[in-house]
Amino acid sequence: MKQELEKQILAAVQALFNVDVHVELSRPEEQFGDYASNVAMQLSKQLGKNPREIADQLKPKLEELDLVSGVEVAGPGFLNLKLTDAALVQAAQIEPAKSLAGKVVVAEYSDPNPFKVLHAGHLYTSVVGDSIANLLELAGAEVHRVNFGGDVGMHVAKTMWAIIKQFGGEDPQQLNDIPADQHAEWMAAAYIEGTNAFEDDESAKAEIVVLNKRVYQLHNENDHDSPFAQIYWTCRQWAYDYFDAFYDRIGTKFEKYYPESQTAPLGLETVRAHIGEVYQESDGAIVFDGEKHGLHTRVFINSEGLPTYEAKDVGLVILKKRDYNFDRSVVITGNEQLQYMSVVLKSIEQFEPELAANTTHLTHGLVKLQGGVKMSSRKGNILRAVDVLDEATEAVKALGQSEDDQIVLGAVKYSFLRQRMGGDIVYDPKESVSLEGNSGPYLQYAHARARSVLARAAESSHADGAQLRSDAHVPQARSASVLPDHPSSHDATAALNGVEFENGERSLIRKIGEYTEVVNKAVNELMPHHICTYLYELAQTFNRFYENNRVVGDEREKIRLALVQRYAETLRSGLSLLGITAPDKM
RNA sequence: GCACCCGUAGCUCAGCGGAUUAGAGUACUUGGCUUCGAACCAAGGGGUCGCAGGUUCGAAUCCUGCCGGGUGUACCA
């Protein structure tokens, strides 16, 4: 619809002035119209006329367009277009573009490390990454969600050191004494102890360095039997079990974990194969000289011969390509890895330019505590992922409701998603997970309300003994995670054909019609927060409509029911892109 | 030092080349439930968009400089 109009406006410009211009319609405030164009200002200089004069000439041409019911010239020369009611109904039926149809996309995010705790930042990146993956999927891509994490490396050695110290030796039997529900916390505590020892105690530090090598060695030798290996593999599995349980709780699922132990050998091999042409030896380490490209120089293989994170990431990129033969790879990490990642990608570009070009690195900010307190897993003053969920659960309980994970997750996810990705997130345990105003539960409530109206309408049509009309079909409660099926939405909009809307009705159908444009924008930019902003406006529009317009029993009931149904479906679709469920009751 | 990111109401954030009063939420002050769900709606106060220049018909938005904060800067991830 928007593109169609833009094309028609361009045609009008060409016919009138015989010049080209980039026409881009915007959505003005409702009082000014449905679309606004600034072509007159753009053309002003080129045509040597003042913008209002151009706009006045264009106005009658645009008034002739089928989709347009009125045109106003406003301000310095804006053309405000008002759509016909039929056009609004039509806009509300358009599906988002399948711009990625047939493309294979690998989305990597979350990336927690085994042997360490899941903190609020992991929750954040999981939620945002999941939503971005949903956007890619909606655009028609075949999306593979994968996870990358360090099952080898210094953090593992630190944790292992503390465990062995606690056990008084390499005694895997004692693992049986750790209660299953405390595995994660127990390992997190060991990590903190190991990290402190590493910093404060020289002999411990030396021991940890040795353990680090032994962990790599254990992988090389495929050792599952030695006491040391038994402790390692058991704890590693505990970590993955803990991740799985967590992802299950927040409603996301990964297809594959890429442990570093798996990408390390391939990375090592790849980097070594390109020594001389891409990577250089320097002080006993293998580095990539990023300075030639205006970047940092970074170590890929350290002087111990072990791969650093850089080499592991090189291996990961290649492994993903082998596994999925992707058209595009999206990697989501924290901001602090921005410059680091450009070094890795620049080095890959030297021998696999396409691979580097098809990789998109998106970054997000830190989750910080109110007052700018920085979290440190070493000091243990971190906000764990479960703490965030627990706080939100308390807030829901405080409303006198039984705890409902749908609402809890709705609140948490929305509070993370509504901010543009990139900046830091300030998390205030008390207020951040709000249930009122611009919040997830507000949207869920606005959905439940609409469903309740639809349900009541269905009841009363039974009570009247009236025949169940096919166009008054109301979907019964479905699994909240299921996308609305399209046939029912066509039923809904069918009742709207040829209707002349009253004010509140028109506002609602107008807003519904923006959905597709917003989704397309969010997909193009991979920015889920656009969906949040829109959905909140949509729900607000509905709540105002609901306040002022009786639905059930009104003489315009049929029209209004159709509107409410289309609205509820749109809201549910949008929420599903955010990974938020739309309950029928709450 | 150099590189990158950020600075919009008390607080948390949208807006990222467009306009008539710079928008939301929250907090604060008020009004609205015998009528489809008040986790809602309506009204009010609150901002020289960090500062200073520049480009433009038009700048919170683009450019430059400065101030403030954060991150990165060779064997951590």
Side-chain angles (χ1 to χ4, degrees), chain A residues 503-518:
Chain A
N503 284 343
E505 297 165 358
R506 191 179 194 283
S507 299
L508 186 53
I509 191 76
R510 174 187 186 273
K511 203 71 199 173
I512 293 169
E514 282 181 43
Y515 176 70
T516 297
E517 287 163 26
V518 171

Side-chain angles (χ1 to χ4, degrees), chain A residues 9 80 111 178 222 266 269 287 300 363 389 411 456 459 485 554 577 586:
Chain A
I9 293 170
N80 290 330
D111 296 350
I178 316 298
N222 199 20
L266 184 57
E269 180 190 316
V287 306
F300 282 62
T363 67
L389 297 179
R456 176 175 284 257
E459 270 172 34
D485 43 302
D554 191 90
L577 286 172
M586 58 189 283

